[in-house]
Amino acid sequence: MSDHRTDESLMLAYRDGDAAAFAALYGRWRGRLYRYLAHQARDSADELFQDVWLRVVNARAHYEVAAKFSTWLFRIAHNRLVDHYRERGRSTVKFADTREAEVDDAAADPPAPAWETPPAMLDRRQAAERILDCLEALPPPQREVFLMAEESGMSLEEIANASGVGRETAKSRLRYALARLRRCLGDLREQEG
Amino acid sequence: MDEHDPRLSAAYRAAEHPEPPPALDAAILDAARRAVAAAPRRRRFAWAAPMATTAVLVLGIALLFSLQREAPETLREVAPLPPQAGGQAAPPSPPAAVADVVEQPEPAERAKPSATAERPQAERREVAEPAPAAAPAPTAQAVASREASARAGAAIEPRPFPAETASVPQPTMASPPPAAAKAAADQAERLEAAAPATARSPAPAVSPGMARLKAASPAAEAPEPWLQRIRQLLREGRLEEARKSLQALRERHPDFPVPEDLRGVLVPGGTQ
């Protein structure tokens, strides 16, 4: 039995006391949110995941549809992740430092990797096996924006809103993330050569 | 450069990803259920009850302030009474009250009902005013009755609409009927006339008895019924009393326009 209500309607219903509405909402977003967190803080994914949902529960009384539910949810998750980094000693300076990496990316923007060309296309299964390693190697801001894009279905503007940056910053981070991933997979392809 | 790479997305989706453990799911769902179970279910018009409560509180406070504002004024409403004071009845009505007791502190005094029996004759004589209505004479019993009426009026009587006033307006709900009021007024006149010379000596400005008498006046009444009583005085030929009452009304309600038919009353010697 699927619920055809929008995320926002479900959250409003939960605000008004409908626990089943929350269950439906949770079912829609549990996997995506967990993956978003797990690929950035694997060891603490369970804890962060629970914290984010409990914040959703606690905020239900004052919930208003000021933005898409996904934007709201991933903003909570982003903030919780930042707190986690700070607790672990990974300051936001790390995020700022990635600007240098992004500059390097821009300067050394490679052509399409060999694995994208039809004859040498990387086996999809291999790519799937490798991409998570490549993802883990990304600078955190780029990794985050890539995961947001993949998991939430949000637009660049919404991603920027959720992560607290401008649209152009989100755009450049995503662009560099894609470039690095392609390069990483290309390098792996070449290594496997 | 495009912000979306379909092949990377496909590779990402095809990867093996971790999932939240079932126990974690259960814990979160349980927490969500408990949160709404503990809170009352929000109804469509959940705002109605708080709004109604707020409205009641606001009205209650406004009424309280209104009563408090009117209550002290009953002790200040005074039309100066000449010693001869036409021997008119001392009705329960507030407007003219007692000459000497303007300065008297009110609330404490209003709280005391009877004790009027001890009031000296002089104080009784200076009893207020000629306002018509059902006023008991300035005897101990009459004053006690007036005080009771005043308290009743101050406590429960809202300002009446002009249309609700009788031809002989009653300032309080406990006022006796007009016939009885007239009889009481007559009695007051006889008492005043019988008062010995000593009674004419000026009473202390702030005697306790006068204070109580002043406190007996009901709460300030609306201008309209007050005007009706003034007109009644004029019809009865009690011009001086009508003038004093009108002066007192203007002091009480300075922003209330004097009707045209009564403007001539204010002029000393003016007749209606």
Side-chain angles (χ1 to χ4, degrees), chain B residues 79-183:
Chain B
L81 281 178
Q84 65 285 357
Q88 304 307 335
S93 71
V98 183
D100 303 63
V101 288
V102 179
E103 315 79 355
Q104 202 58 308
E106 36 292 60
E109 298 300 333
R110 289 186 65 226
K112 304 188 182 133
S114 34
T116 56
E118 295 80 2
R119 197 172 338 103
Q121 190 81 6
E123 296 171 354
R124 291 198 206 117
R125 185 180 57 78
E126 294 186 0
V127 135
E129 245 269 351
T139 60
Q141 181 182 5
V143 172
S145 168
R146 192 181 313 140
E147 289 171 334
S149 300
R151 285 195 304 280
I156 61 178
E157 185 185 47
R159 287 180 173 256
F161 290 117
E164 295 175 359
T165 58
S167 58
V168 181
Q170 304 300 319
T172 67
M173 297 173 67
S175 302
K182 185 63 169 63

Side-chain angles (χ1 to χ4, degrees), chain B residues 154-249:
Chain B
I156 61 178
E157 185 185 47
R159 287 180 173 256
F161 290 117
E164 295 175 359
T165 58
S167 58
V168 181
Q170 304 300 319
T172 67
M173 297 173 67
S175 302
K182 185 63 169 63
D186 292 338
Q187 185 180 14
E189 291 185 37
R190 290 193 292 275
L191 283 174
E192 284 215 20
T198 56
R200 295 177 185 273
S201 60
V206 291
S207 64
M210 298 304 275
R212 286 192 293 275
L213 183 60
K214 186 177 176 61
S217 301
E221 64 179 321
E224 289 297 340
W226 196 338
L227 289 173
Q228 295 299 325
R229 289 206 311 282
I230 294 172
R231 292 190 177 100
Q232 178 63 24
L233 286 172
L234 291 173
R235 285 191 288 272
E236 295 174 0
R238 295 152 73 175
L239 183 60
E240 191 59 28
E241 297 170 41
R243 182 184 305 120
K244 289 186 170 62
S245 184
L246 184 57
Q247 287 175 340
L249 181 147

Side-chain angles (χ1 to χ4, degrees), chain A residues 83-94:
Chain A
D83 292 342
H84 170 73
Y85 288 151
R86 288 174 177 157
E87 292 165 5
R88 296 296 182 91
R90 298 180 63 180
S91 69
T92 53
V93 175
K94 296 285 184 179

Side-chain angles (χ1 to χ4, degrees), chain A residues 14-17 22 26 30 34-35 38-39 46 49-50 53-54 57 60 109 116 121 128 131-132 147 150-151 171 174-175 178 182 185, chain B residues 1-5 7-21 24-25 27-29 31-33 35-36 39 41-42:
Chain A
Y14 177 58
R15 180 198 65 182
D16 296 342
F22 178 87
Y26 181 79
R30 60 180 284 279
Y34 192 84
R35 288 189 292 274
H39 292 311
D46 288 6
F49 182 77
Q50 186 170 12
W53 283 112
L54 288 181
V57 169
R60 79 191 184 287
D109 188 19
E116 280 192 333
M121 185 176 293
I131 192 167
L132 295 185
L147 288 169
E150 291 297 324
E151 297 293 359
K171 180 178 179 180
L174 182 58
R175 184 157 58 94
L178 296 176
R182 292 193 198 99
L185 289 174
Chain B
M1 183 181 298
D2 195 1
E3 294 83 34
H4 177 66
D5 189 316
R7 290 187 176 80
L8 289 175
S9 296
Y12 176 79
R13 284 194 299 275
E16 286 189 19
H17 298 280
E19 287 282 314
L24 192 53
D25 291 335
I28 291 169
L29 290 171
R33 277 191 297 269
V36 296
R41 191 179 180 98
R42 181 170 170 161

